Amino acid sequence: MTDAVRARRVVPARVRIMGWMLLLMAIVLVTVTLVTRTLLMQRIDADVTSALEQEAGELSRVARAGVDRATRQPFRNVRELLFNHLQRQHPDDDEVIVGWVAPGEVLAQDRAEPFGLATRPDVLDPILASDATSGSTRTDAGEMRWIKVEVTGRAGDRGAYVVGYLVDRDRVEIDNTIQTLVVVSAAGLVVAALVAWVVAGRILAPVRLVRRAAAEITERDLTQRIPVAGRDDIAALASQFNSMLDRLEQAFATQRRFVDDASHELRTPITIVRGHLELMGDDPAERAAVVRLCTDELDRMGRIVADLLMLAKAERPDFVRPEPVEVAELTTDLYAKCRALGDRAWRLPSIGECTAHLDPQRVTQAVVQLAQNAVQHTASGDEIQIGSSCRDGRVSFWITDRGPGVPAADREVIFGRFTRGSTGGAAGHRVGAGLGLAIVRAIAEAHGGTVRLTSPEGGGATFALDLPDQS
């Protein structure tokens, strides 16, 4: 399967979100509708049963008493009892009440009934003949639930009291209500679909921006960023994507800067080596001189590449590996190592007394580089001071020399790459590639610190590595 086919078959996230929301709402609405209909139907059955039992219970109480409530006189027979009770009843619109007196007289209320049970022997006779006291039967007006109470008079006469309830009309009302609910639910689903489409679009807008930004990003353009609004997960995704772009842009910038710096600085020694090799004659002395020159240039190229790699590594998170270090012990070690750099009057006027959290190897590399610069800008026997201090949660390592100092115009640029400044009077000033102070600054910044330069008008300079105590 090709990528194009896969792309055509992919369902957009916006559609999937809307589809799942509508499916969930549809399931909920269908469940609510079915449960509501079932509960309403059960409620009708319970109400009908309660109404029938109430009517039957009223007649049973009157029959047991056997007294007319209006005259306070006993009923003379079953017919009088049933007729009197029928005239006092006020049934519901769906109720039908009849009385039957043996051998075949049917008593009914004088009212418009939903079903003429008294005139329908085909329906009434099976009820009277049934041994059951309640049941259900089909009529022209629908299903009728009924209850029967048999009554026997004092003279042995007998009769029956039948109450029927037509339940289909109530069920039709419920069905109409459910139909209305279905129509409203369908309209609600349409509205929910529109709302879900709009909401999903707004929620996924940053995701689309991420996709478009990722599609537009190239090695030559890493400047695109996604606007971050809100504090939800999508905003966090956009923020993380922007952070990733920052890291990528920094990594590509570092790579390009490394290539540009290497090509710029290595072009000169390569040209020198090639030129001398092309012009080299057969004279052994000349060959030896050319070999020495080429070797020297190759060594310089090796140092340049090593320094460039060091600067490239400085931007990695594991460039420094801090650990607890005794500043006093590290200072004395630095003093011992720097004394071997040249015949100078080395001094150790100040030693900090504290434990700091730093990378001792990187700090040693930076201080030794500063000491090497001081040696290059001073003469034999000149004084160079090394010291350290601990104050206000910060640790400083500094080098002070009595050389010509740093002109004001150079103080802002000498920490850049391939920048040597204009103090050209020192013998070894043009030996390096101008990367030493850039490495020192990179080490300081990797510790979260800075490099300070102080150079008074009368000459001399102090370079200080000012680092925060991260313990």
Side-chain angles (χ1 to χ4, degrees), residues 140-163:
D140 298 340
E143 180 184 0
M144 184 182 75
R145 299 272 298 279
W146 56 266
I147 192 169
K148 178 178 66 176
V149 180
E150 295 181 349
V151 183
T152 303
R154 296 178 178 178
D157 55 338
R158 61 188 184 85
Y161 182 73
V162 179
V163 182

Side-chain angles (χ1 to χ4, degrees), residues 163-174:
V163 182
Y165 197 105
L166 299 167
V167 297
D168 281 1
R169 291 208 305 178
D170 288 343
R171 290 173 178 171
V172 169
E173 291 180 1
I174 291 178

Side-chain angles (χ1 to χ4, degrees), residues 254 257-259 261-262 265-266 298-315 319 362 365-366 368-369 372-373 376 415-420 431-443:
T254 300
R257 187 165 58 246
F258 176 84
V259 174
D261 291 344
E265 193 65 20
L266 296 180
L298 291 174
D299 291 341
R300 188 161 72 91
M301 290 171 60
R303 289 193 300 271
I304 292 173
V305 171
D307 290 344
L308 288 174
L309 289 175
M310 177 68 66
L311 289 173
K313 291 179 180 179
E315 300 183 17
F319 177 64
R362 295 301 184 194
Q365 182 180 4
V368 169
Q369 179 64 54
Q372 180 64 41
N373 285 359
Q376 292 177 359
F415 292 99
R417 300 186 182 196
F418 304 110
T419 303
R420 302 182 182 89
V431 174
L435 295 173
L437 290 179
I439 293 175
V440 172
R441 184 178 65 177
I443 292 174

Side-chain angles (χ1 to χ4, degrees), residues 228-427:
V228 179
R231 299 181 180 179
D232 54 8
D233 292 339
I234 302 299
L237 172 63
S239 178
Q240 290 295 325
F241 188 81
N242 288 339
S243 299
M244 182 191 69
L245 289 181
D246 291 338
R247 293 191 296 270
L248 284 175
E249 185 177 11
Q250 183 180 9
F252 277 105
T254 300
Q255 182 183 34
R256 283 194 293 266
R257 187 165 58 246
F258 176 84
V259 174
D260 293 342
D261 291 344
S263 61
H264 172 270
E265 193 65 20
L266 296 180
R267 187 179 296 114
T268 299
I270 291 175
T271 302
I272 293 174
V273 171
R274 169 178 284 181
H276 281 82
L277 289 177
E278 290 176 350
L279 298 176
M280 184 176 61
D282 296 330
D283 183 34
E286 182 182 356
R287 285 177 174 271
V290 171
V291 169
R292 285 194 303 271
L293 186 144
C294 291
T295 301
D296 182 67
E297 288 300 313
L298 291 174
D299 291 341
R300 188 161 72 91
M301 290 171 60
R303 289 193 300 271
I304 292 173
V305 171
D307 290 344
L308 288 174
L309 289 175
M310 177 68 66
L311 289 173
K313 291 179 180 179
E315 300 183 17
R316 290 168 42 181
D318 60 345
F319 177 64
V320 295
R321 299 177 181 179
E323 61 183 62
V325 175
E326 293 294 334
V327 174
E329 182 179 348
L330 178 59
T331 304
T332 55
D333 291 343
L334 290 172
Y335 177 72
K337 294 175 181 178
C338 292
R339 290 183 61 184
L341 296 176
D343 183 17
R344 303 293 186 269
W346 297 93
R347 299 289 184 268
L348 184 60
S350 174
I351 298 178
E353 296 286 345
C354 65
T355 301
H357 207 66
L358 48 84
D359 189 332
Q361 295 183 359
R362 295 301 184 194
V363 171
T364 299
Q365 182 180 4
V367 174
V368 169
Q369 179 64 54
L370 293 176
Q372 180 64 41
N373 285 359
V375 170
Q376 292 177 359
H377 291 81
T378 55
S380 178
D382 288 349
E383 180 179 300
I384 299 178
Q385 296 181 359
I386 299 177
S388 63
S389 63
C390 301
R391 187 179 298 110
D392 299 330
R394 302 188 72 83
V395 181
S396 295
F397 298 91
W398 44 267
I399 300 289
T400 299
D401 64 67
R402 304 300 183 188
V406 181
D410 292 341
R411 295 174 189 175
E412 299 296 329
V413 298
I414 59 174
F415 292 99
R417 300 186 182 196
F418 304 110
T419 303
R420 302 182 182 89
S422 58
T423 56

